[in-house]
């Protein structure tokens, strides 16, 4: 069927609002960020000094604090991919078995993600407090008295892990809802046929559930990586990057440089960080496609 020019114009009008929003709020900020990244600028004065790729070179080769923040973000991401998503899958498997009060569990598990990150951070900051924190009182009551005055968010060895635990607690509800929806799309006839063939629960999970959930795993993994690498509100409300910068992630470092008047330098850092996220996302999509293809 041939589309007339009038129909083409009509179709274009349908996508025009979305196209304008994309150009104004997505493409223009990206291009503007890259433009600013090649200037030394404090974000206020009119004078902007063109320095080319000098700031990129300094970030890549002479800024260990940035790479330390990248490692911190990667650490939180690895924990989220394994522990957070593992817990989400386990709970989704349990709830998908038509247990009593299924909707109540869905509501409870999805409650943390909808809470404000700042509010969650302040609540957990109180929980981890070394003087009057609930966690230390609980540990003391079960005979772990060595943690009675332990400042979880002020110790270098525990600060980042404490923030990661809160991040996983807040975020596992997203994975739970998506995985539960994926589980409910798998036809029950497949499990019934497997039972007739004598497959036990583990064999059904390995040969039916996992292969059919690979596209869902991909979505959950990408959302987890992007969400964990861009964590900001929790860290800012709980530690502000401390102690001694040991909980800084790239977003908080970018914010720190921007607050110090190094606007051009911070935008160069943002461009590098955005490129890393883009590469990671493409690698993950490619790997999931290969895995999905091998399972066919």
């Amino acid at each position: 069927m041939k589309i007339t020019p009038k129909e083409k114009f009509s179709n274009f009008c349908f996508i025009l609002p979305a196209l304008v929003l994309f150009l104004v709020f997505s493409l223009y900020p990206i291009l503007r960020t890259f433009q600013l990244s090649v200037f030394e600028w404090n974000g206020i004065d009119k004078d902007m000094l063109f320095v080319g790729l000098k700031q990129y070179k300094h970030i890549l080769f002479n800024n260990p604090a940035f790479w330390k923040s990248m490692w911190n973000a990667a650490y939180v991401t690895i924990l989220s991919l394994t522990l957070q998503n593992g817990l989400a899958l386990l709970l989704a498997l349990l709830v998908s078995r038509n247990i009593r009060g299924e909707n109540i569990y869905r509501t409870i598990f999805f409650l943390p993600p909808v809470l404000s990150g700042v509010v969650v951070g302040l609540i957990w900051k109180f929980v981890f407090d070394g003087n009057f924190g609930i966690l230390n009182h609980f540990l003391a009551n079960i005979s772990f008295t060595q943690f009675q005055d332990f400042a979880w968010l002020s110790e270098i060895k525990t600060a980042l892990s404490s923030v990661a635990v809160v991040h996983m607690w807040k975020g596992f509800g997203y994975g739970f809802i998506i995985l539960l929806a994926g589980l409910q799309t798998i036809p029950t006839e497949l499990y019934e046929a497997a039972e007739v063939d004598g497959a036990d629960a583990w064999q059904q999970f390995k040969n039916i559930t996992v292969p059919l959930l690979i596209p869902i795993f991909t979505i959950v993994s990408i959302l987890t990586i992007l969400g964990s690498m861009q964590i900001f509100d929790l860290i800012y409300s709980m530690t502000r990057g401390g102690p001694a910068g040991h909980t800084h992630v790239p977003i908080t470092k970018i914010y720190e440089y921007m607050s110090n008047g190094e606007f051009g330098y911070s935008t160069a850092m943002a461009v590098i960080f955005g490129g890393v996220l883009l590469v990671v996302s493409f690698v993950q999509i490619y790997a999931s496609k290969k895995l999905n293809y091998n399972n066919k």
Side-chain angles (χ1 to χ4, degrees):
M1 185 178 69
K2 188 176 180 181
I3 301 176
T4 63
K6 184 178 179 181
E7 289 174 328
K8 287 182 179 178
F9 178 75
S10 177
N11 294 339
F12 178 75
C13 288
F14 276 113
I15 66 169
L16 184 60
L19 184 62
V20 171
L21 290 174
F22 172 76
L23 292 174
V24 173
F25 294 106
S26 294
L27 187 60
Y28 173 74
I30 292 173
L31 297 177
R32 180 66 172 161
T33 300
F34 181 76
Q35 180 196 10
L36 293 176
S37 69
V38 294
F39 288 92
E40 274 189 5
W41 185 43
N42 62 11
I44 299 176
D45 296 338
K46 293 182 179 179
D47 296 333
M48 300 169 67
L49 177 64
F50 179 78
V51 294
L53 300 178
K54 176 185 173 184
Q55 297 181 129
Y56 287 94
K57 184 179 177 183
H58 185 270
I59 294 168
L60 291 173
F61 302 107
N62 297 296
N63 192 335
F66 174 72
W67 293 110
K68 169 67 176 171
S69 70
M70 286 289 290
W71 160 247
N72 290 343
Y75 176 75
V76 175
T77 302
I78 291 170
L79 289 181
S80 299
L81 281 173
T82 52
L83 301 181
Q84 174 185 310
N85 289 342
L87 177 63
L89 177 61
L90 177 63
L91 294 175
L93 287 170
L94 293 174
V95 174
S96 67
R97 293 179 175 273
N98 295 323
I99 61 175
R100 182 180 295 179
E102 176 184 341
N103 290 331
I104 296 175
Y105 290 117
R106 289 186 186 186
T107 305
I108 293 174
F109 296 151
F110 196 64
L111 189 59
V114 299
L115 295 175
S116 163
V118 176
V119 172
V120 170
L122 293 176
I123 292 173
W124 279 89
K125 189 176 180 181
F126 172 74
V127 172
F128 285 123
D129 190 276
N131 296 319
F132 47 82
I134 298 173
L135 178 61
N136 286 354
H137 283 289
F138 171 76
L139 293 174
N141 286 334
I142 58 173
S143 302
F144 289 96
T145 54
Q146 66 270 32
F147 296 108
Q148 193 166 5
D149 299 319
F150 192 82
W152 297 87
L153 297 178
S154 300
E155 293 289 335
I156 292 174
K157 291 182 179 178
T158 57
L160 185 61
S161 297
S162 300
V163 174
V165 168
V166 179
H167 175 69
M168 289 187 286
W169 175 83
K170 186 180 184 304
F172 87 92
Y174 281 124
F176 165 76
I177 291 295
I178 296 173
L179 289 169
L180 181 62
L183 286 170
Q184 292 175 340
T185 62
I186 299 176
T188 56
E189 291 81 3
L190 293 176
Y191 294 105
E192 293 169 356
E195 284 183 5
V196 171
D197 290 339
D200 57 25
W202 169 248
Q203 289 171 325
Q204 292 177 31
F205 175 75
K206 186 178 68 172
N207 298 316
I208 298 175
T209 306
V210 172
L212 293 180
L213 278 184
I214 285 178
I216 307 298
F217 285 140
T218 303
I219 295 171
V220 173
S221 299
I222 290 175
L223 291 176
T224 303
I225 290 174
L226 295 181
S228 300
M229 293 291 285
Q230 298 179 74
I231 180 175
F232 174 79
D233 46 6
L234 282 179
I235 289 180
Y236 199 73
S237 59
M238 293 179 72
T239 65
R240 291 181 180 265
H246 281 274
T247 58
H248 265 306
V249 292
I251 299 292
T252 57
K253 288 301 293 183
I254 292 168
Y255 180 76
E256 184 184 58
Y257 279 106
M258 195 174 292
S259 302
N260 292 335
E262 298 180 72
F263 205 86
Y265 192 83
S266 65
T267 53
M269 196 174 282
V271 171
I272 293 174
F273 182 53
V276 171
L277 290 181
L278 205 61
V279 170
V280 171
S281 299
F282 277 125
V283 168
Q284 192 168 20
I285 292 172
Y286 175 78
S288 66
K289 283 183 177 178
K290 291 288 288 182
L291 188 60
N292 205 21
Y293 175 78
N294 291 334
N295 282 328
K296 289 181 179 177

